[in-house]
Amino acid sequence: MSHTAQSDGHARRGRAPTMADVAQVAGVSHQTVSRVLSHHPNVRDTTRAEVQRAIEQLGYRRNSSARALVTRRTLTLGVVACNPTLFGPASTLFGLEEAARDEGYMVSAVTLRRYTAKALEEAIDHLSDWGVEGIVVIVPHREAVAALAELRLPFPVVTVEGGHSLPIAGVSVDQELGARLATSHLLGVGHRTVWHVAGPPDWFEAEARVNGWRSTLEEAGVEVPPPLVGDWTPLSGYRAGQELAGRVAAGSARRTSADVTAVFVANDQMALGLMRAFREAGLSVPGQVAIAGFDDIPEAEFFAPPLTTVRQDFAAVGQASIRLLVSQLESGSTSHDGERVVIEPRLIVRRSSTSS
């Protein structure tokens, strides 16, 4: 019987093809099909190709529930995230999903409006019911860490962006280094100081970026202006830009060491709003005020002018997080040893900070 006829026969019988059907069509044993599906190395390339061809022709899909009963593995990881509409959390989630697939795992994600102990506990219970083997918790602010600290964790857990001292493995980007890179760059092109539009104070990333900005100015021996505080949105950046534009207008008649000639903004979305406010006030960027952001969102190079910013490697964050989690799973360890992996960011210089 030809492969096509065999496939048509299964369609007529109106049932989903099984592993035994794949074995019959490929002319191999049930065990050989299982080895191919499990990526076992001891399978000849020609045999593997025959099995793959039979799988495609029959439209075979592996029964994950049956596999879990036999292997006691679901090959599924959980992710708990908050504020997934923001660029950072959304990019982190995407990086985790890509890295999990590369390691042979699927991802089940739960997104929360707020990180309370009750909400986080319910999320972990849901993921446990779904059979996840371990979870990654994106913990960008203090509320999330406080909630996580109250829970008993039934399986391995890795945190992302958690500036915490909990005995849980974690991965983060060196936010302070990123702020230092941006601030040092602005000082290096000739500005006497750098103003800052910060993110929400309860976010670890915002706090670290403030620390990096302030310490760089202090080490340079220059005046540290009071930071303005935003909420990551373009609107908050726009309002900060209006305030800073007012300072530029007020100080135009008298030059001081704290003149607004350079601004480091804690994310690119707020930088977009800031640039709009400066444009409306008739200020040229970078002619009168240079700007640097943080994140390197896809639109940053298309801002007018293109935005100097700090790029975070979300793919590397995802890979490091999943590898930490998988290593715990493979070792059978649920002892959260507090191992930390820190990813370095990179400064991307564009025309918003320098006219050269």
Side-chain angles (χ1 to χ4, degrees):
M1 180 181 294
S2 71
H3 289 184
T4 302
Q6 182 76 17
S7 177
D8 290 344
H10 289 302
R12 283 194 300 270
R13 287 195 291 273
R15 65 173 177 82
T18 66
M19 195 181 296
D21 296 328
V22 175
Q24 182 181 355
V25 171
V28 298
S29 68
H30 179 282
Q31 289 81 1
T32 298
V33 175
S34 179
R35 283 195 290 270
V36 170
L37 291 170
S38 300
H39 305 287
H40 197 284
N42 296 333
V43 179
R44 287 183 301 179
D45 290 343
T46 54
T47 301
R48 191 183 304 276
E50 277 295 315
V51 172
Q52 293 290 359
R53 190 154 43 242
I55 287 171
E56 292 174 7
Q57 289 175 351
L58 294 174
Y60 172 74
R61 295 293 180 268
R62 198 170 188 184
N63 187 323
S64 58
S65 298
R67 179 182 61 192
L69 287 172
V70 174
T71 65
R72 298 182 184 275
R73 299 288 304 277
T74 63
L75 295 180
T76 303
L77 304 177
V79 176
V80 181
C82 194
N83 302 107
T85 57
L86 295 175
F87 177 76
S91 299
T92 300
L93 181 57
F94 180 76
L96 290 168
E97 291 175 334
E98 290 286 293
R101 273 195 292 272
D102 290 343
E103 293 289 336
Y105 289 82
M106 296 299 291
V107 168
S108 291
V110 176
T111 59
L112 305 176
R113 292 182 180 177
R114 285 193 59 195
Y115 265 118
T116 63
K118 178 175 174 51
L120 186 55
E121 183 176 23
E122 290 176 350
I124 291 175
D125 286 345
H126 278 302
L127 291 171
S128 181
D129 290 342
W130 294 342
V132 303
E133 299 183 26
I135 63 171
V136 178
V137 184
I138 303 173
V139 284
H141 40 67
R142 299 186 185 284
E143 185 181 38
V145 170
L148 191 61
E150 294 182 27
L151 301 180
R152 292 186 61 197
L153 303 171
F155 31 49
V157 175
V158 170
T159 63
V160 174
E161 290 303 344
H164 58 75
S165 57
L166 299 177
I168 301 175
V171 178
S172 62
V173 173
D174 192 335
Q175 307 290 338
E176 187 167 332
L177 172 61
R180 283 178 168 275
L181 292 172
T183 307
S184 295
H185 165 69
L186 292 169
L187 292 175
V189 295
H191 297 281
R192 290 188 286 182
T193 193
V194 178
W195 287 71
H196 183 45
V197 180
D202 61 331
W203 282 63
F204 292 116
E205 294 175 351
E207 180 182 32
R209 293 171 195 178
V210 168
N211 291 340
W213 160 77
R214 178 179 286 113
S215 59
T216 302
L217 295 183
E218 290 173 346
E219 291 166 10
V222 301
E223 186 169 348
V224 181
L228 288 73
V229 179
D231 61 6
W232 301 129
T233 65
L235 177 60
S236 66
Y238 177 77
R239 288 170 175 162
Q242 289 178 313
E243 181 175 340
L244 290 173
R247 288 179 178 270
V248 172
S252 59
R254 48 183 179 80
R255 305 293 293 175
T256 72
S257 60
D259 285 345
V260 181
T261 64
V263 186
F264 164 50
V265 190
N267 80 336
D268 294 348
Q269 294 284 357
M270 292 194 296
L272 176 64
L274 185 92
M275 294 169 80
R276 165 77 178 268
F278 283 178
R279 188 163 55 250
E280 289 179 355
L283 299 177
S284 67
V285 176
Q288 291 173 276
V289 185
I291 299 174
F294 206 110
D295 281 338
D296 194 27
I297 63 176
E299 299 84 1
E301 65 179 309
F302 300 102
F303 285 12
L307 182 66
T308 289
T309 185
V310 176
R311 178 178 296 167
Q312 304 191 71
D313 191 342
F314 293 107
V317 170
Q319 291 163 3
S321 303
I322 296 301
R323 285 170 185 163
L324 267 181
L325 191 55
V326 170
S327 69
Q328 291 186 50
L329 294 171
E330 291 178 345
S331 66
S333 170
T334 56
S335 60
H336 311 296
D337 57 7
E339 181 180 353
R340 295 284 187 271
V341 176
V342 179
I343 308 297
E344 289 193 0
R346 184 159 66 96
L347 181 69
I348 307 297
V349 178
R350 298 190 180 105
R351 287 196 293 111
S352 70
S353 65
T354 175
S355 54
S356 59

